[in-house]
């Protein structure tokens, strides 16, 4: 039902063991998310660099990943958040203050507050996992109705509604509490 | 221009639909980075691995990629090794599927014996076996005695019989080791298991000091 082909927990287990293919599996599973979030925060060019640094530093620091503290995906999003901050700081040092208005290559400029909250949302979705994660993404990224989601995931409509409401409430609390 | 409707939101509780709004605005974030990013990750980790000596760091090099592209940068220093010499040194073993594997789901797909190379200094014998476990191929290497690594370390490779290509498999630091093989490695092509003595010089290329070598044979054909 995950549709991802590789089970998140299996990847995490391989990661903890330091198996040689764990990095590649994790990259396949989460590089899209890492890059996508980074792109909203630092633009397309910076996103490549951030993605590279995230996976290199994650692998070098793989001993610091504690599975009991949360899923691997959430840990990687947390690293992404820190690398984005690094990237933005280094830009501040490079860009003269007078020219600080960023030339954002993306169609829409994301404020730091927005991209930070987006990271928080996705980090929490990785923490919660499926089916809640998929339900939320199908609803608000793919714009499916609750009924369509229920059919797609083969879940009772009531379950989809309950998951949606609870997960949204949890995410709103996180954003509210982050300030 | 699409105005950022949240940019100047009031402080305090977020609007009820901020979560929804951000998700919608971000859209699909899973498109993925361009392929060059993975190559860069791999290259960076490969470069620092000899210093760390960490088993488990991916060192896979599909030769069509990195090493093939910049193969001229690091000239391989191969020992003289005529094909006939390999044939004379390596004792072939047409072993049938072994019943000794610990897992019932394992299938031995290839195996062979390992033998020392001339001038390697010490007699070394061992076996190599490739098993399919849960859809991935794993290479098990066992040697009766670990060859002297000198000042450096010992590294396991898969080579083409004509030495026209090599895939790094990992570091071996005991008399037995198991490695996950990169997906897509064709064992009929990269059939030679090679253990080389490598210096801790940061150079990820084969150091040219092969100490043990043997060829894998398709277990079903034996």
């Amino acid at each position: 039902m995950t549709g991802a082909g590789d089970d998140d927990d299996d990847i995490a287990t391989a990661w903890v063991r330091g198996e040689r293919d764990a990095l590649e599996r994790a990259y396949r599973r989460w590089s899209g998310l890492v890059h996508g979030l980074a792109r909203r925060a630092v633009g397309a060019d910076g996103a490549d660099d951030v993605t590279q640094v995230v996976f290199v530093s994650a692998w070098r620091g793989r001993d610091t990943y504690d599975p009991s503290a949360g899923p691997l995906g959430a840990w990687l999003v947390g690293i992404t958040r820190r690398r984005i901050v690094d990237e933005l700081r280094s830009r501040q040092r490079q860009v003269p203050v007078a020219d600080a208005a960023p030339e954002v290559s993306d169609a829409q400029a994301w404020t730091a507050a927005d991209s930070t909250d987006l990271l928080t949302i996705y980090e929490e979705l990785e923490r919660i996992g499926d089916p809640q994660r998929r339900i939320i993404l199908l609803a608000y990224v793919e714009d499916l109705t609750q009924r369509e989601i229920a059919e797609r995931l083969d879940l009772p409509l009531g379950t989809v509604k309950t998951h949606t409401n609870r997960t949204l409430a949890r995410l709103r609390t996180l954003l509210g509490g982050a300030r | 221009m699409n105005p950022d409707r949240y940019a100047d939101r009031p402080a305090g509780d977020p609007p009820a639909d901020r979560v929804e709004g951000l998700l919608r605005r971000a859209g699909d974030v899973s498109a993925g980075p361009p392929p060059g990013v993975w190559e860069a990750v791999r290259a960076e980790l490969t470069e620092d691995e000899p210093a760390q000596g960490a088993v488990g760091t991916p060192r896979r090099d599909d030769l069509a990629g990195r090493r093939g592209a910049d193969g001229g940068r690091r000239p391989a220093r191969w020992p003289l090794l005529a094909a006939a010499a390999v044939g004379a040194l390596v004792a072939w073993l047409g072993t049938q599927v072994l019943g000794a594997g610990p897992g019932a789901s394992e299938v031995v797909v290839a195996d062979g014996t390992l033998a020392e190379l001339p001038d390697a200094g010490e007699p070394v014998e061992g076996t190599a076996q490739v098993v399919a476990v849960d859809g991935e191929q794993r290479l098990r290497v066992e040697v009766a005695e670990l060859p002297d690594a000198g000042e450096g370390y010992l590294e396991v490779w898969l080579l083409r019989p004509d030495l026209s290509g090599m895939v790094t498999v990992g570091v071996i630091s005991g008399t037995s080791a198991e490695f996950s093989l990169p997906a897509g490695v064709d064992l009929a092509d990269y059939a030679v298991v090679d253990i080389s003595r490598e210096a801790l010089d940061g150079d990820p290329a084969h150091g040219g000091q092969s100490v043990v070598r043997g060829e894998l044979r398709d277990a079903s054909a034996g």
Side-chain angles (χ1 to χ4, degrees):
Chain A
M1 201 206 68
T2 65
D6 203 351
D7 185 80
D8 292 2
D9 291 340
D10 288 349
I11 300 174
T13 303
W15 182 277
V16 169
R17 289 179 185 160
E19 289 178 14
R20 290 182 70 256
D21 64 345
L23 176 65
E24 185 168 358
R25 290 167 70 189
Y27 187 89
R28 255 190 246 124
R29 169 66 183 80
W30 286 290
S31 62
L33 179 60
V34 167
H35 190 262
L37 292 172
R39 197 160 70 81
R40 271 67 180 181
V42 300
D45 292 344
D48 289 1
D49 291 342
V50 167
T51 304
Q52 179 181 340
V53 173
V54 164
F55 281 93
V56 167
S57 63
W59 186 250
R60 284 178 181 157
R62 62 189 177 277
D63 292 347
T64 64
Y65 168 61
D66 175 8
S68 67
L72 184 58
W75 185 70
L76 289 171
V77 175
I79 294 174
T80 306
R81 179 195 299 277
R82 296 194 286 279
R83 295 294 85 83
I84 286 172
V85 169
D86 293 346
E87 170 78 13
L88 292 174
R89 277 197 195 127
S90 81
R91 286 184 187 186
Q92 279 177 349
R93 282 197 296 273
Q94 287 164 6
V95 179
V97 177
D99 300 334
E103 5 63 60
V104 179
S105 49
D106 282 12
Q108 297 169 298
W110 282 74
T111 66
D114 288 348
S115 62
T116 299
D117 281 356
L118 188 70
L119 278 157
T120 302
I121 291 169
Y122 271 98
E123 184 174 348
E124 188 63 11
L125 287 176
E126 286 294 329
R127 200 175 289 282
I128 298 169
D130 289 333
Q132 291 92 330
R133 184 185 68 93
R134 287 207 76 202
I135 289 172
I136 293 295
L137 296 184
L138 288 172
Y140 301 117
V141 176
E142 300 192 27
D143 221 11
L144 298 190
T145 66
Q146 305 259 287
R147 189 169 299 280
E148 288 167 335
I149 294 169
E151 285 170 11
R152 175 84 69 94
L153 300 182
D154 199 18
L155 289 171
L157 181 58
T159 304
V160 171
K161 287 183 174 171
T162 305
H163 279 324
T164 305
N165 292 336
R166 284 188 185 159
T167 308
L168 272 185
R170 186 166 160 180
L171 293 171
R172 285 176 186 139
T173 305
L174 268 181
L175 296 196
R179 233 163 255 120
Chain B
M1 284 295 287
N2 202 337
D4 178 5
R5 62 196 177 105
Y6 293 113
D8 54 358
R9 69 182 189 282
D13 285 344
D17 66 342
R18 176 156 171 80
V19 171
E20 304 168 28
L22 284 172
L23 283 168
R24 286 187 195 283
R25 198 178 136 212
D28 183 9
V29 296
S30 63
V37 176
W38 170 242
E39 297 302 323
V41 168
R42 214 167 53 168
E44 198 173 345
L45 288 171
T46 302
E47 271 174 26
D48 69 1
E49 181 181 326
Q52 294 183 340
V55 178
T57 306
R59 299 188 47 110
R60 64 199 54 172
D61 270 300
D62 55 345
L63 300 157
R66 185 169 168 277
R67 187 153 290 155
D70 63 5
R73 193 163 58 89
R74 295 192 179 92
R77 288 155 283 148
W78 287 99
L80 287 175
L81 199 82
V86 180
L89 281 162
V90 176
W92 298 115
L93 197 74
T95 313
Q96 303 303 310
V97 173
L98 301 177
S105 62
E106 292 181 357
V107 177
V108 178
V109 295
D111 54 26
T113 56
L114 304 172
E116 76 275 27
L117 290 169
D119 306 325
E122 58 275 300
V124 177
E125 288 179 357
T127 58
Q129 188 179 58
V130 176
V131 295
V133 190
D134 295 334
E136 73 166 9
Q137 294 193 324
R138 302 186 72 85
L139 171 67
R140 290 186 185 140
V141 175
E142 287 198 20
V143 287
E145 199 176 331
L146 196 66
D148 181 14
E151 302 278 272
Y153 61 101
L154 296 169
E155 185 164 11
V156 181
W157 307 75
L158 286 178
L159 313 177
R160 284 199 178 113
D162 63 0
L163 308 184
S164 67
M166 50 189 155
V167 178
T168 173
V169 172
V171 174
I172 183 168
S173 53
T175 54
S176 69
E178 181 167 325
F179 307 95
S180 176
L181 292 181
V185 164
D186 183 359
L187 293 173
D189 191 8
Y190 289 90
V192 176
V193 177
D194 174 285
I195 301 179
S196 70
R197 204 180 274 151
E198 298 291 333
L200 283 163
D201 56 8
D203 181 349
H206 194 294
Q209 284 202 320
S210 295
V211 291
V212 176
R213 196 173 283 182
E215 190 158 351
L216 293 165
R217 284 172 50 137
D218 187 340
S220 63

